Amino acid sequence: MLRFILKRVGFAILTLFLIITLTFFLISAAPGDPIASKVGQMPEQAQELIRARYGLDKPVGERYLIYMGNLLHGDFGESITYTGKQVNDIIAVNAPISAKIGIMALFFQIVLGILLGMVAGMNRGKVGDHVIRVCVVLAICIPSFVFAALLQYFIGFKWHLAPIFGWGSWKNYILPVTAYALGGIASYTKYMRSSTISVYGEDYIVTAKAKGCTKNQVLRKHVFRNSLIPIVTMTGPAIAGIFAGSFVLEQMFSIPGLGAYYMKSVTNSDYTVILGLTAFFAMMYVASLILVDIVYGFVDPRIRVAKTGKR
Amino acid sequence: MKKQIKMAASWFMASAMAMTMLAGCGSSGSTTTTAAGAETTAAAGTETTAGAETTASAGAVTTAAGAETTAAAGAVTTAAGAETTAASGTVSADELADPEDQIFRYSKGSDATGLNPIICTTAPDNEVFEKICEGLYRDVTNEKGESAQEPGAAESCDISDDGLTYTFHIRPDAVWSDGEPVTANDFEYTFKLMADPESGATAGWLYDGTIVNFNEAMYQTDGVKPDDIGVKALDDKTLEIQLVHPCSYFLELVSTAWPVRQDVYEKYGQSYGASVDQIVTNGGFRLTKWEPNVEMTYEKSENYWNADNVHLQTIECKIITDTATRAQAIISGDIDYLGTNEEEWVGVLSQTPGLTSFVSDGNNPEFFSFNCSNKYFKNWKVRLAFSLAIDREKFNTDLNDGTAEVMYGLMPACTQVGDKLYTEAVSEDTQIIKTLSAQYPDPKALLQEGLEEEGLDTDPSRMEVHLATRGTNEFSKRISEWMLQDWQENLGVTITIDSMEWNVMWDRVDSGDYDIATAGWGPYFNDPYGLLSIYDPENGYFNSSKTGWDDEDSQKYHDLLEQSIDETDMTKRAELLFQAENILVGKGVIAPTYTATSNNFLSDKVGGYYVNPNSATDYNRIYIKKQ
């Protein structure tokens, strides 16, 4: 197991290196100038001074080496747009805000998704199942920002039940978390439903029932655990998504997460911020994949056995 | 091609973020909104918010308007049309609400990039500094709704007869937020910092060619040091500035030279202005709280020299990116002011009880810029034909709901020469294109004449011309498609539309890689020179290496501009500048189209809200009315 983890971590580092390198050169090759927003339409000679101030007068190769050198020390560099702001600080201050929304949403997604999915699966073909299925299709098809706009309009604007923008009070979580969670709840419900149905058809369930297990026991011991595999697969990447999944919503609700910085950095070609955030998201993603592999082992002993067997 | 690279890059980054199906849904959504959010600015005008925030200094902005109406070149001539009383700034006490109710709340689309006035000079930054800092003079709105210069940190200024020496007398009662007196040395230090190439100052270039030795110090020529510039504190309260040329708009220029104090600036170094504790300020308000991307809170500065006439106790600025959210915020009474040009909301907000709406004029003309090294456009008749073929009234009706200022020359109506409006200072009709249309009633014939002169195929339908857009949003698309149709109908030319982001377009202009570019410009000071100098073939932004304009007309143009710099008689100066404009527009180097106006919505409880043609809002005059 340890060897397996070490190997995965090794690959992860290589992946990150490739992502950062590729991103760096892609940004350099892409049109757009990081200081454009700063210099506006200054005379060229004056622009050169500013360019030199931010080290942009150096050739791409040299800038890459400097950047990678700093990165080895864990330094993502300084934002060009936001003068004097360190990318590390941007991540440290704003990532937790994005994460709070993401984690809350993920929590509701998993809990409600599993619950609704099992209810639907066990009541296959009945009214409850149909109602849930219709809602699921709707919730999957409608993008979260449409939900957000509807929630803002009705709950916030018309009925004054929650603030439509801002940050600081617990009330500010209500609308964005709801908007973010809805689509996910639907997806989890869908997967949980089909896996519940398929597990229900397995022979071992018949055996368990024949042995005299109560409906409750069957559900807890057999159906629930065996249906979890697809949920774990989905949750892994969703963990990475908790930092980045709510960008649009952050914009709409004026939440000071990473979203505002990421969007602005891309439009302004603020490459230190783009790189820093991209590397950060990539790290989260790779880490969550490793995590999923480990969790698989706990949920499904067969996978653990198969993997050790190979080695 | 380049666009594809950028697309590829953004897709790569999106996939690097690598989300699940559902998070992925969010991500692709987010890409869309970036576009929307970042470039919207929407409707009546402009293609780039980024543009709006771009730029330096005087609040002048390339592209501006839209999203940042308050701050950017959204500008206003009519001043707050809503308010006619109290233009002079005095409000009687019984009109005012109680001090604890003197809270003004508004919203902006973008946060400031920092609080260091030397290196943070984008529109959202200037919008902060105009409240918390005070230059030697203040740029305010006079009774006629025009821009006027009023003493600020200086109580008066003596200008020598040749217009080359400005002596400012600093107020005895002007103090910094920490109680220290404001001195002439502080301003001397500030100007020297701006002239220092090491400082990364983004507004210094405005004084290059204006203040003695400024250019030399910035570009380190002839061993000139920042210490040698023509700015000198004669004593604690007297500052002398020596100019190279008489400059009728100099007081306006220095109104955005927000001072910093040496001891504090050096104490914090690179991190000066990174937070509200790391600055000292001298304006009517102090920034007491800054939560990035959420809110800025300002409190009245009690030791400000004119504090008795400042009414507001608190100003709250909420950062709300999404226009729909901002609109809902003003309707629900969460904010008191909103500037927006998004059609869907303009209609709704105009009908909302409790809100007063007024339209403010812009100072940033939109125009098409022709690449004169192009085989067609090197002929002025071809260029002019393209310009004359634009049905500007219809353009305005179709694309701007008839709200924009239609441009038959380059100068927006608010342009001033000295203290006179440009249109009044010039004896001839400044609507150059109208005059030319009478002279050349058939643009197509003019086009063919030009093509023949160049020995080219005279069939316009076989011309191959590309139009570079400035932005990829809905409004940019509508403009380019409208132009495609217009030129097809009136000239028989079928253009190809190259849709690109605003910064990509400016890159193309820089490298001369365009046929027609959708350009726009917000001047840094209110004077025709501010707009005309950008096409100076030698040192303008659109110099001849970018525009390919290097014939004898361009030489004449350059000479006229040079002459205008040294001219102290404002009437003669206006004539010189008009002659130059007549070449630029008359020879079709550019085709001005419109200047966007902005729609403003203000809560009825707010009084004294003025915006001047240079976009600055005078917060010292705003007050909350007694209910």
Side-chain angles (χ1 to χ4, degrees):
Chain A
M1 192 69 182
L2 188 67
R3 231 182 103 193
F4 164 72
I5 293 175
L6 282 178
K7 199 170 162 189
R8 291 301 307 262
V9 170
F11 274 118
I13 292 172
L14 184 69
T15 313
L16 286 177
F17 170 76
L18 287 177
I19 288 177
I20 294 170
T21 307
L22 260 169
T23 314
F24 188 97
F25 288 103
L26 273 171
I27 299 170
S28 311
D33 186 348
I35 59 160
S37 69
K38 225 172 222 7
V39 299
Q41 297 142 336
M42 276 187 200
E44 250 149 75
Q45 211 179 356
Q47 289 196 18
E48 288 313 312
L49 292 179
I50 308 293
R51 207 174 294 281
R53 157 77 171 67
Y54 293 94
L56 295 167
D57 51 340
K58 300 189 177 75
V60 182
E62 197 180 332
R63 279 197 285 135
Y64 175 71
L65 290 179
I66 295 174
Y67 186 83
M68 289 314 253
N70 290 336
L71 201 56
L72 283 181
H73 304 104
D75 180 7
F76 281 123
E78 184 189 349
S79 162
I80 297 170
T81 309
Y82 295 95
T83 318
K85 207 163 221 170
Q86 299 300 319
V87 179
N88 294 42
D89 294 338
I90 293 181
I91 294 175
V93 173
N94 299 280
I97 296 175
S98 295
K100 271 185 209 162
I101 302 269
I103 289 173
M104 279 189 179
L106 189 64
F107 173 78
F108 287 117
Q109 285 170 357
I110 295 177
V111 172
L112 293 179
I114 290 177
L115 215 69
L116 289 172
M118 284 177 70
V119 169
M122 283 156 48
N123 296 299
R124 191 181 178 187
K126 295 184 190 154
V127 184
D129 182 31
H130 289 307
V131 172
I132 291 174
R133 275 170 63 197
V134 170
C135 293
V136 162
V137 171
L138 275 180
I140 289 183
C141 293
I142 303 174
S144 59
F145 56 88
V146 175
F147 272 130
L150 292 173
L151 289 171
Q152 267 185 333
Y153 184 73
F154 287 105
I155 299 191
F157 184 61
K158 280 252 148 158
W159 304 330
H160 303 286
L161 296 175
I164 49 177
F165 70 93
W167 192 244
S169 140
W170 63 272
K171 286 182 187 159
N172 292 120
Y173 288 95
I174 302 175
L175 298 187
V177 170
T178 313
Y180 188 10
L182 277 175
I185 293 174
S187 305
Y188 281 103
T189 306
K190 197 178 111 198
Y191 280 95
M192 195 65 194
R193 177 183 176 274
S194 52
S195 96
T196 307
I197 289 173
S198 75
V199 170
Y200 245 92
E202 296 284 346
D203 294 341
Y204 56 80
I205 300 289
V206 181
T207 315
K209 279 183 182 164
K211 283 198 301 187
C213 283
T214 61
K215 196 175 176 185
N216 210 343
Q217 278 172 323
V218 173
L219 209 63
R220 249 192 13 248
K221 292 206 169 148
H222 300 281
V223 181
F224 178 67
R225 188 159 170 180
N226 284 304
S227 315
L228 271 187
I229 307 278
I231 300 296
V232 172
T233 318
M234 280 178 69
T235 308
I239 291 174
I242 60 175
F243 290 100
S246 55
F247 279 6
V248 198
L249 300 178
E250 286 181 14
Q251 293 271 104
M252 294 183 71
F253 292 102
S254 296
I255 298 166
L258 287 177
Y261 286 101
Y262 202 67
M263 308 223 163
K264 193 144 271 181
S265 67
V266 173
T267 29
N268 287 349
S269 311
D270 187 352
Y271 78 100
T272 44
V273 179
I274 302 179
L275 276 170
L277 295 185
T278 305
F280 175 71
F281 294 136
M283 273 177 213
M284 291 296 137
Y285 186 59
V286 169
S288 69
L289 285 186
I290 296 177
L291 199 70
V292 168
D293 274 342
I294 297 168
V295 174
Y296 267 151
F298 290 112
V299 179
D300 186 349
R302 283 174 306 179
I303 295 175
R304 192 167 46 201
V305 173
K307 273 190 175 138
T308 25
K310 239 188 216 169
R311 255 142 264 238
Chain B
M1 186 60 211
K2 276 184 175 174
K3 181 162 168 30
Q4 281 164 0
I5 298 176
K6 180 134 192 176
M7 282 285 287
S10 56
W11 275 111
F12 170 76
M13 282 172 249
S15 60
M17 283 156 59
M19 293 162 209
T20 54
M21 187 177 78
L22 83 125
C25 169
S27 134
S28 59
S30 75
T31 327
T32 341
T33 339
T34 327
E39 288 134 59
T40 35
T41 357
T46 51
E47 285 113 294
T48 73
T49 305
E53 288 143 43
T54 359
T55 14
S57 189
V61 178
T62 335
T63 28
E68 288 298 316
T69 342
T70 42
V76 177
T77 16
T78 49
E83 287 303 317
T84 39
T85 52
S88 55
T90 44
V91 186
S92 69
D94 50 321
E95 286 176 59
L96 293 170
D98 296 338
E100 62 269 23
D101 295 329
Q102 292 292 342
I103 303 174
F104 176 72
R105 301 152 309 159
Y106 70 105
S107 106
K108 284 198 303 185
S110 309
D111 206 356
T113 67
L115 300 173
N116 180 345
I118 305 295
I119 53 178
C120 305
T121 53
T122 67
D125 300 328
N126 284 324
E127 201 268 341
V128 174
F129 296 133
E130 72 186 17
K131 296 186 211 55
I132 63 173
C133 294
E134 188 170 75
L136 292 162
Y137 263 60
R138 289 161 45 81
D139 184 21
V140 299
T141 313
N142 69 9
E143 292 76 4
K144 285 188 268 178
E146 295 161 353
S147 164
Q149 313 313 317
E150 220 175 52
E155 60 183 352
S156 64
C157 173
D158 308 326
I159 305 170
S160 65
D161 290 339
D162 58 5
L164 293 178
T165 308
Y166 281 66
T167 312
F168 293 93
H169 303 283
I170 311 290
R171 279 175 201 284
D173 49 351
V175 287
W176 291 97
S177 44
D178 61 359
E180 292 279 314
V182 173
T183 67
N185 299 308
D186 299 331
F187 282 96
E188 182 187 325
Y189 177 71
T190 304
F191 277 101
K192 287 183 175 169
L193 209 52
M194 286 197 273
D196 185 349
E198 304 293 318
S199 69
T202 37
W205 66 278
L206 283 170
Y207 305 96
D208 152 11
T210 308
I211 294 179
V212 167
N213 275 339
F214 212 93
N215 181 323
E216 291 78 357
M218 265 178 86
Y219 306 122
Q220 294 169 301
T221 40
D222 310 329
V224 174
K225 295 266 170 293
D227 266 344
D228 306 330
I229 62 166
V231 180
K232 212 166 113 200
L234 301 180
D235 59 52
D236 266 7
K237 294 288 180 187
T238 317
L239 183 77
E240 185 189 88
I241 302 185
Q242 303 274 355
L243 306 190
V244 188
H245 303 288
C247 172
S248 57
Y249 47 85
F250 188 68
L251 290 178
E252 188 188 327
L253 269 189
V254 298
S255 71
T256 51
W258 321 112
V260 295
R261 203 172 76 206
Q262 187 166 7
D263 58 335
V264 187
Y265 199 82
E266 284 171 0
K267 179 175 161 198
Y268 294 114
Q270 287 289 345
S271 62
Y272 184 84
S275 75
V276 292
D277 314 319
Q278 290 165 302
I279 37 166
V280 279
T281 56
N282 68 332
F285 294 89
R286 284 179 200 164
L287 187 57
T288 50
K289 197 176 88 181
W290 180 21
E291 274 185 76
N293 289 317
V294 183
E295 190 171 331
M296 278 190 169
T297 310
Y298 305 85
E299 299 289 342
K300 177 177 171 178
S301 170
E302 292 302 337
N303 64 8
Y304 177 59
W305 63 269
N306 197 17
D308 290 348
N309 293 316
V310 176
H311 311 298
L312 291 177
Q313 293 293 329
T314 307
I315 303 173
E316 289 171 14
C317 171
K318 325 229 180 225
I319 314 292
I320 308 177
T321 322
D322 192 65
T323 320
T325 313
R326 297 162 91 190
Q328 291 176 14
I330 194 171
I331 298 173
S332 352
D334 290 332
I335 55 173
D336 304 319
Y337 168 83
L338 176 70
T340 181
N341 280 344
E342 291 211 17
E343 286 168 45
E344 67 210 85
W345 288 110
V346 169
V348 175
L349 294 173
S350 319
Q351 305 293 320
T352 306
L355 293 182
T356 306
S357 64
F358 60 94
V359 173
S360 53
D361 293 343
N363 67 349
N364 49 327
E366 293 285 320
F367 48 88
F368 292 105
S369 187
F370 297 99
N371 186 342
C372 304
S373 57
N374 177 287
K375 67 173 173 179
Y376 307 115
F377 296 130
K378 66 180 175 208
N379 188 294
W380 70 269
K381 288 179 180 165
V382 175
R383 300 190 301 252
L384 186 60
F386 269 74
S387 176
L388 295 182
I390 304 170
D391 184 343
R392 289 170 170 78
E393 297 292 341
K394 190 166 181 294
F395 183 104
N396 190 26
T397 320
D398 291 352
L399 297 167
N400 293 323
D401 289 333
T403 58
E405 182 186 344
V406 181
M407 303 296 282
Y408 290 98
L410 183 61
M411 299 306 153
C414 66
T415 310
Q416 282 174 282
V417 180
D419 44 17
K420 251 190 178 168
L421 282 179
Y422 178 65
T423 44
E424 289 165 11
V426 175
S427 53
E428 287 163 77
D429 185 0
T430 52
Q431 304 212 314
I432 299 167
I433 290 168
K434 276 194 176 163
T435 317
L436 286 166
S437 282
Q439 203 176 335
Y440 306 104
D442 183 4
K444 192 169 177 178
L446 185 67
L447 171 69
Q448 284 169 322
E449 212 179 302
L451 290 173
E452 200 169 351
E453 281 179 14
E454 293 302 316
L456 294 163
D457 189 340
T458 54
D459 181 1
S461 67
R462 283 205 278 271
M463 282 177 78
E464 234 183 80
V465 174
H466 290 253
L467 171 68
T469 69
R470 192 173 82 243
T472 52
N473 66 354
E474 202 47 43
F475 189 64
S476 299
K477 279 184 202 142
R478 281 174 57 203
I479 293 186
S480 47
E481 279 156 16
W482 193 95
M483 290 315 307
L484 170 77
Q485 202 181 343
D486 179 275
W487 280 326
Q488 207 160 36
E489 277 168 18
N490 298 333
L491 295 177
V493 180
T494 306
I495 56 161
T496 310
I497 297 167
D498 291 348
S499 194
M500 62 190 82
E501 294 295 343
W502 67 276
N503 50 355
V504 178
M505 190 221 74
W506 289 115
D507 271 1
R508 291 273 200 101
V509 170
D510 282 343
S511 52
D513 179 19
Y514 65 101
D515 297 345
I516 308 175
T518 315
W521 199 271
Y524 292 93
F525 42 85
N526 186 356
D527 186 277
Y529 186 78
L531 282 168
L532 293 172
S533 58
I534 60 176
Y535 272 90
D536 188 318
E538 282 178 24
N539 49 26
Y541 178 83
F542 293 91
N543 57 39
S544 59
S545 74
K546 295 179 185 177
T547 60
W549 189 40
D550 54 4
D551 53 11
E552 63 263 39
D553 284 335
S554 74
Q555 192 50 50
K556 213 161 106 196
Y557 183 79
H558 175 74
D559 293 344
L560 284 166
L561 289 184
E562 292 289 296
Q563 283 174 43
S564 80
I565 290 177
D566 285 317
E567 183 57 66
T568 47
D569 181 320
M570 286 305 132
T571 315
K572 283 187 194 150
R573 194 161 163 271
E575 291 300 336
L576 288 169
L577 292 168
F578 178 68
Q579 284 179 40
E581 186 191 356
N582 220 344
I583 296 176
L584 189 71
V585 177
K587 297 289 180 178
V589 180
I590 65 172
T593 46
Y594 71 96
T595 300
T597 52
S598 318
N599 290 289
N600 302 273
F601 300 93
L602 185 69
S603 162
D604 286 344
K605 66 178 190 184
V606 181
Y609 192 97
Y610 298 99
V611 193
N612 78 13
N614 305 324
S615 77
T617 309
D618 190 352
Y619 286 88
N620 290 4
R621 285 184 182 173
I622 300 176
Y623 61 93
I624 305 297
K625 294 177 191 164
K626 195 166 200 143
Q627 295 300 312

